[in-house]
Amino acid sequence: MRVHNFNAGPAVLPEEVLLEVQKNLFDYKGSGLSVMEMSHRSAEYDQIISEARSRLLKIMGLGDDYVALYLHGGASTQFYMIPLNFCAENKVANYIDTGAWSTKAWKEAKKIGVKYHLAATSEDKEFTYIPKTWQLSENPAYLHITTNNTIRGTEWKIDPDVPADLPLIADMSSNFLSRPLDFAKYDLIYGGAQKNIGPAGAAFVVIKKSLLERQNSNLPTMMDYNTHISKDSMFNTPPAFAIYVIGEVLKWIEEKGGLEAREEYNRQKAAIVYDVLDNSDFYRGTVVPEDRSWMNVPFRLPAEDLEKKFIAEAKAKGMIGLKGHRSVGGCRASIYNSLPMKAVEDLAQFMNDFEKANK
Ligand code: PMP
């Protein structure tokens, strides 16, 4: 029996996709071998990766002024590739710090020695909100945001306005393709696949080609976006199986009605969980309501031992992954794209029952 999977990532995948992958695991569409065993230079694999790249742009509504890559090294490698490629010596890398991952992003810029500036931060209130104003530095190279804080459960509800000539860069790891965004506003979008669009092992990077005009020169080969673009995301052996599964998830997103349908479904799921929090004086949501994430819902119970009991009882009922991130404690339900409605309905029922029994 499958459990309701509230893990923060790697996370739940669509059942239809798992069954399709299983069907083709041993012999991929009559090729006589598994995708795991296939040469990445074969015609079969070329079709898999080409389609996974083109379908991604199509779902995002982007044209051929953008390019999609699938790279190794997770979102974390992008933290330093971005300043390395796009912050020139006389420029300043600008960041809005909404906690955890965005902090890691600017720290990586600092580490490689580029000038950086925090245009805004929500650290004053423990990253429980999204800053609404920001102050850019002189000579900004780009503005970097993290559209969803996986740990704190805050989410940007608008695509920020920036000056026309300033590149906007976003880590979308934990809310990617969960609803339509104005993707064309962004010059580079990246993230780890393992939350909303696939298994672990590949990062997606979507780049507006015009951004490449601002690239630094003499970069290490693997750290240079142009290396990967010029070789169609296959400069070296790509994370082949992960990309194949991502391709299947993208097909699933299309078949289910694309991003508009995801938005409606995710809005309903989030409402079910937040309704429980809002109608209770037992559970406490930790984020200001207007900035609440539709993907990661952190909450507290009146005491830590009750939180432990809650997590253990939920697990016994087939609901796993409800422990908050170790850096903040408490509970967190990650309710990504592929999590079925039934999982949040059962969670809400369990939360109400647990409250009655333990109040
Ligand atoms: N950014 C965000 C918003 C994340 O949630 C995570 C991982 N949880 C990362 C970056 C790091 O991703 P990776 O493990 O793929 O390097």
Side-chain angles (χ1 to χ4, degrees), residues 8-9 73-77 79 101 146 148-151 171-174 190-195:
S76 300
T77 300
F79 293 164
W101 305 104
T146 309
N148 187 80
N149 182 332
T150 324
I151 294 175
D171 173 358
M172 295 196 182
S173 292
S174 48
Y190 70 96
Q194 66 271 18
K195 296 164 197 301

Coordinates of all heavy atoms in Angstrom, one line a residue, residues 8-9 73-77 79 101 146 148-151 171-174 190-195, ligand 1:
A8 N 9.5 16.7 2.0 CA 9.8 18.0 1.4 C 10.7 17.9 0.1 O 10.9 18.8 -0.6 CB 10.5 18.9 2.4
G9 N 11.2 16.7 -0.1 CA 12.0 16.5 -1.3 C 13.3 15.7 -1.0 O 14.0 16.2 -0.1
G73 N 24.4 18.4 -10.0 CA 24.8 19.3 -8.9 C 23.7 20.0 -8.2 O 24.0 20.8 -7.3
G74 N 22.5 19.7 -8.5 CA 21.4 20.2 -7.8 C 21.3 21.7 -7.9 O 22.1 22.4 -8.6
A75 N 20.3 22.3 -7.2 CA 20.1 23.7 -7.1 C 21.4 24.4 -6.5 O 21.8 25.5 -6.9 CB 18.9 24.1 -6.4
S76 N 22.0 23.7 -5.6 CA 23.1 24.2 -4.8 C 24.3 24.6 -5.7 O 25.0 25.6 -5.4 CB 23.6 23.2 -3.8 OG 22.5 22.9 -2.9
T77 N 24.5 23.9 -6.8 CA 25.6 24.2 -7.7 C 25.3 25.6 -8.4 O 26.2 26.4 -8.7 CB 25.8 23.1 -8.8 OG1 26.2 21.9 -8.0 CG2 27.0 23.4 -9.7
F79 N 23.9 28.0 -7.1 CA 24.2 29.1 -6.2 C 25.5 29.8 -6.6 O 25.6 31.0 -6.4 CB 24.3 28.7 -4.7 CG 23.0 28.2 -4.1 CD1 22.9 27.4 -3.0 CD2 21.7 28.5 -4.7 CE1 21.7 27.0 -2.4 CE2 20.5 28.0 -4.2 CZ 20.6 27.3 -3.0
W101 N 17.5 28.9 1.9 CA 18.2 28.7 0.6 C 18.6 30.0 0.0 O 19.6 30.0 -0.7 CB 17.2 27.9 -0.3 CG 16.8 26.6 0.4 CD1 15.6 26.4 1.0 CD2 17.6 25.5 0.7 NE1 15.6 25.2 1.6 CE2 16.8 24.6 1.4 CE3 18.9 25.1 0.3 CZ2 17.3 23.3 1.8 CZ3 19.4 23.9 0.8 CH2 18.6 23.0 1.5
T146 N 14.2 33.8 -4.2 CA 13.8 32.4 -4.0 C 12.3 32.4 -3.9 O 11.7 33.0 -3.0 CB 14.4 31.8 -2.7 OG1 15.8 32.1 -2.7 CG2 14.2 30.3 -2.6
N148 N 10.0 30.3 -3.4 CA 9.3 29.6 -2.3 C 10.3 29.1 -1.3 O 11.2 28.4 -1.7 CB 8.5 28.4 -2.9 CG 7.6 27.7 -1.9 OD1 6.5 28.2 -1.6 ND2 8.1 26.6 -1.3
N149 N 10.1 29.5 0.0 CA 11.0 29.0 1.0 C 10.5 27.7 1.6 O 9.5 27.7 2.3 CB 11.2 30.0 2.1 CG 12.2 29.6 3.2 OD1 12.3 28.4 3.4 ND2 12.8 30.5 3.8
T150 N 11.1 26.6 1.2 CA 10.7 25.3 1.5 C 10.6 25.0 3.0 O 9.8 24.3 3.5 CB 11.7 24.3 0.9 OG1 12.2 24.8 -0.4 CG2 11.1 22.9 0.7
I151 N 11.5 25.6 3.7 CA 11.6 25.4 5.2 C 10.6 26.3 6.0 O 9.9 25.8 6.8 CB 13.1 25.7 5.7 CG1 14.0 24.6 5.0 CG2 13.1 25.6 7.2 CD1 15.5 24.9 5.3
D171 N 15.4 31.1 -7.9 CA 15.4 29.7 -7.5 C 14.0 29.3 -7.3 O 13.3 29.9 -6.4 CB 16.2 29.6 -6.2 CG 16.1 28.2 -5.5 OD1 15.5 27.3 -6.1 OD2 16.8 28.0 -4.5
M172 N 13.5 28.5 -8.1 CA 12.1 28.1 -8.0 C 11.9 26.6 -7.6 O 10.9 25.9 -7.9 CB 11.3 28.3 -9.4 CG 11.2 29.7 -9.8 SD 10.0 29.9 -11.1 CE 10.1 31.7 -11.4
S173 N 13.0 26.1 -6.9 CA 13.0 24.7 -6.6 C 11.7 24.1 -6.0 O 11.2 23.1 -6.5 CB 14.1 24.4 -5.5 OG 15.4 24.6 -6.0
S174 N 11.1 24.9 -5.1 CA 10.0 24.2 -4.4 C 8.6 24.7 -4.8 O 7.6 24.2 -4.2 CB 10.2 24.3 -2.9 OG 10.5 25.6 -2.5
Y190 N 15.9 28.5 -12.0 CA 16.5 27.2 -11.8 C 15.9 26.5 -10.5 O 15.2 27.1 -9.8 CB 18.0 27.4 -11.6 CG 18.4 28.0 -10.3 CD1 18.8 27.3 -9.2 CD2 18.4 29.4 -10.2 CE1 19.1 27.9 -8.0 CE2 18.7 30.1 -9.0 CZ 19.1 29.3 -7.9 OH 19.4 29.9 -6.7
G191 N 16.3 25.2 -10.4 CA 15.9 24.5 -9.1 C 16.2 23.1 -9.2 O 16.6 22.5 -10.3
G192 N 16.2 22.4 -8.1 CA 16.3 20.9 -8.1 C 15.0 20.3 -8.5 O 13.9 20.9 -8.2
A193 N 15.0 19.3 -9.3 CA 13.8 18.7 -9.8 C 13.0 17.9 -8.8 O 11.8 17.7 -9.0 CB 14.2 17.7 -10.9
Q194 N 13.6 17.6 -7.6 CA 13.1 16.6 -6.8 C 11.9 16.9 -5.9 O 11.6 16.2 -5.0 CB 14.3 16.0 -5.9 CG 14.8 17.1 -4.9 CD 16.0 17.9 -5.5 OE1 16.1 18.0 -6.7 NE2 16.8 18.5 -4.6
K195 N 11.3 18.1 -6.2 CA 10.1 18.4 -5.4 C 8.9 18.4 -6.3 O 8.0 17.6 -6.0 CB 10.3 19.8 -4.8 CG 11.4 19.8 -3.8 CD 11.9 21.2 -3.4 CE 13.2 21.2 -2.8 NZ 13.3 20.4 -1.6
Ligands
PMP1 N1 16.6 25.9 -3.0 C1 15.5 25.5 -2.4 C2 14.3 26.5 -2.3 C3 15.4 24.2 -1.8 O1 14.3 23.9 -1.1 C4 16.5 23.4 -1.9 C5 16.5 22.0 -1.3 N2 15.6 21.7 -0.4 C6 17.7 23.8 -2.6 C7 17.7 25.0 -3.1 C8 18.9 22.9 -2.7 O2 18.6 22.0 -3.7 P1 19.6 20.8 -4.0 O3 19.5 19.8 -2.9 O4 19.1 20.3 -5.3 O5 21.0 21.4 -4.2

